[in-house]
Amino acid sequence: MSTLDVPKPDFMRDEELAIFENSVIKFFEEHAPPERVDQWREDGQVERAFWTEAGQAGILGVSIPEEYGGGGGDFRHDTILLEQVARMDVAGFGVSLHNCIVTPYVLAHGTEEQKQRWLPRLCNGELVAAVAMSEPGAGSDLQAIRTTALKDGNGYRINGAKTFISSGQNADFIVVVAKTDPSQGARGVSLVVVETEQAEGFHRGRKLDKIGLDAADTSELFFDDVFVPADNLLGMEEGRGFKQLMQELPRERLTIALGSAIRAELAVATTIDYTTNRKVFGQRVIDFQNSQFKLAEMKTQATIARVFVNHCLGLLLKGQLDTTTVSMAKYWITEVENKIIDEGLQLHGGYGYMNEYPIARMYRDARISRIFGGSNEIMKVLIARTLES
Ligand SMILES: Cc1cc2nc3c(=O)[nH]c(=O)nc-3n(C[C@H](O)[C@H](O)[C@H](O)COP(=O)(O)OP(=O)(O)OC[C@H]3O[C@@H](n4cnc5c(N)ncnc54)[C@H](O)[C@@H]3O)c2cc1C
């Protein structure tokens, strides 16, 4: 049930999508019951076996063509999946990264041979994907990366250290952003795939201790003279890495905005629920005019976020989502998510600070949305570039 009065956009009304949605709900009900997810939170990592189960159930690669082992759907299927990940509280399962970010790199930029080699295994859960861009000394400023992938015989030798890598412990398919020509700036950057099973010299570092997203394994990765065959250069042409990353950014940023819009809505719902049931000074918290005004503001903001995200989804499906619009969505909706959750927590009083209440975890989990996938400051830099054009 939705707390908002935003009608489903026409492109989401489809019987096949409804069937898919039911299968996703059933999968999470059966395979991700609350006690299992709680264990993942405690372990700081989703069980690797769950990825295999998801692959077998057709949850991975839903928008990858069937000829490559995928579900043959499109971004609407991923939208449904992400919505259910949030609604069914499977936070930490890095399926948005796997399905909406890394696997599409292979589909869009891989050669035919690479697509056939990797996509079926990414879709059936044999491979869990990660992308390693950030380094201790380079996050927003990606051109400053120091990791190199230098030609050596019939392949490349990778050297460097990455940090903050989502799915870092579980991943066995890592797209590494590296300099194949350190003398060049952006034009010297390439995307090189490391399949960890065969990668001598590859080490996983610490599973980082975060303030939120407890079940997500965010890690350091080290590459010490790791050899990969030349066939692992995505697209088989050096120096195209930056362009390849840039082309995929609108979908990646929309994925973040979409997740934030969904969680904003859930925060409104859980706060309405709590304030209706909690009594203070002989009346329900929701009966105070301040609570009503706050909830009215929260609902309004969540509604605007949802309408804007739907607009962006429509553009993406038509291949028309541009960098400026999606930067606005990523920046504004993630800010709104954080604001709504903060106000919602306030209306919970001290209980809002207790992890057993959903709003508390939402508060911790939401903070990263404003930072990763390009920080909101970078989003504003991108929007500002268009002011005088
Ligand atoms: C939980 C989590 C998961 C992540 N997952 C991944 C992953 O899977 N793969 C990956 O490669 N990375 C990942 N990251 C890294 C993330 O993308 C970076 O943290 C982010 O891009 C910011 O880089 P930074 O941390 O180095 O901050 P910095 O770049 O050092 O920025 C510090 C501050 O300066 C601001 N700033 C930077 N440049 C400008 C500018 N031009 N104008 C104004 N302000 C500016 C930033 O907005 C920020 O507020 C993850 C991070 C976290 C915390």
Side-chain angles (χ1 to χ4, degrees), residues 41-336:
R41 287 196 184 105
E42 223 162 275
D43 298 343
Q45 183 170 349
V46 171
E47 244 175 297
R48 178 63 180 83
F50 181 71
W51 282 94
T52 312
E53 292 161 33
Q56 282 162 0
I59 298 289
L60 305 181
V62 292
S63 53
I64 297 298
E66 285 173 13
E67 59 184 294
Y68 299 118
D74 54 40
F75 195 70
R76 294 172 308 157
H77 296 77
D78 280 315
T79 302
I80 285 170
L81 184 53
L82 299 189
E83 180 121 18
Q84 291 311 326
V85 167
R87 287 193 184 282
M88 302 191 72
D89 204 11
V90 200
F93 174 42
V95 71
S96 64
L97 174 74
H98 185 97
N99 272 17
C100 308
I101 299 178
V102 188
T103 306
Y105 286 161
V106 179
L107 183 67
H109 305 294
T111 61
E112 189 54 38
E113 190 273 325
Q114 290 174 330
K115 289 188 225 184
Q116 292 193 11
R117 177 150 62 112
W118 289 320
L119 288 175
R121 294 158 68 210
L122 285 162
C123 294
N124 70 13
E126 204 182 307
L127 296 176
V128 172
V131 57
M133 306 184 223
S134 305
E135 299 184 358
S140 308
D141 180 12
L142 258 194
Q143 285 197 39
I145 58 163
R146 297 177 64 175
T147 298
T148 53
L150 301 180
K151 204 86 213 231
D152 181 15
N154 58 351
Y156 294 90
R157 290 255 169 222
I158 305 177
N159 279 288
K162 297 287 181 179
T163 194
F164 300 146
I165 306 309
S166 301
S167 295
Q169 297 295 317
N170 271 329
D172 13 49
F173 179 91
I174 303 175
V175 174
V176 179
V177 182
K179 288 201 165 158
T180 37
D181 183 352
S183 68
Q184 304 264 351
R187 270 192 256 142
V189 173
S190 303
L191 305 186
V192 185
V193 172
V194 172
E195 287 191 68
T196 60
E197 207 177 285
Q198 303 139 17
E200 207 179 310
F202 166 72
H203 306 285
R204 300 178 205 270
R206 283 179 302 151
K207 184 162 59 184
L208 298 164
D209 183 14
K210 312 185 293 301
I211 63 168
L213 290 179
D214 297 338
D217 51 319
T218 309
S219 303
E220 298 169 325
L221 302 178
F222 299 101
F223 302 85
D224 186 8
D225 241 4
V226 176
F227 181 81
V228 294
D231 293 350
N232 283 27
L233 177 70
L234 195 66
M236 298 298 285
E237 200 185 320
E238 286 184 17
R240 293 188 47 78
F242 243 88
K243 256 198 185 149
Q244 291 168 333
L245 290 173
M246 294 301 142
Q247 274 177 28
E248 305 306 309
L249 282 177
R251 187 187 47 251
E252 295 174 21
R253 290 181 175 154
L254 182 57
T255 304
I256 297 174
L258 174 68
S260 293
I262 297 165
R263 288 186 296 273
E265 180 181 338
L266 292 172
V268 178
T270 197
T271 308
I272 292 174
D273 187 48
Y274 181 82
T275 52
T276 327
N277 288 301
R278 173 78 174 166
K279 282 209 166 148
V280 183
F281 293 107
Q283 67 183 75
R284 301 179 311 166
V285 172
I286 200 168
D287 293 329
F288 293 111
Q289 194 182 48
N290 176 64
S291 311
Q292 291 173 5
F293 280 11
K294 285 293 172 199
L295 281 161
E297 287 167 16
M298 289 160 64
K299 183 170 175 175
T300 306
Q301 289 159 352
T303 300
I304 297 169
R306 179 56 97 153
V307 171
F308 189 27
V309 106
N310 284 347
H311 167 69
C312 291
L313 279 170
L315 289 175
L316 184 88
L317 290 166
K318 287 190 273 183
Q320 293 171 359
L321 184 61
D322 62 278
T323 302
T324 313
T325 308
V326 80
S327 301
M328 291 175 182
K330 196 273 173 180
Y331 133 64
W332 192 80
I333 296 174
T334 57
E335 299 278 343
V336 156

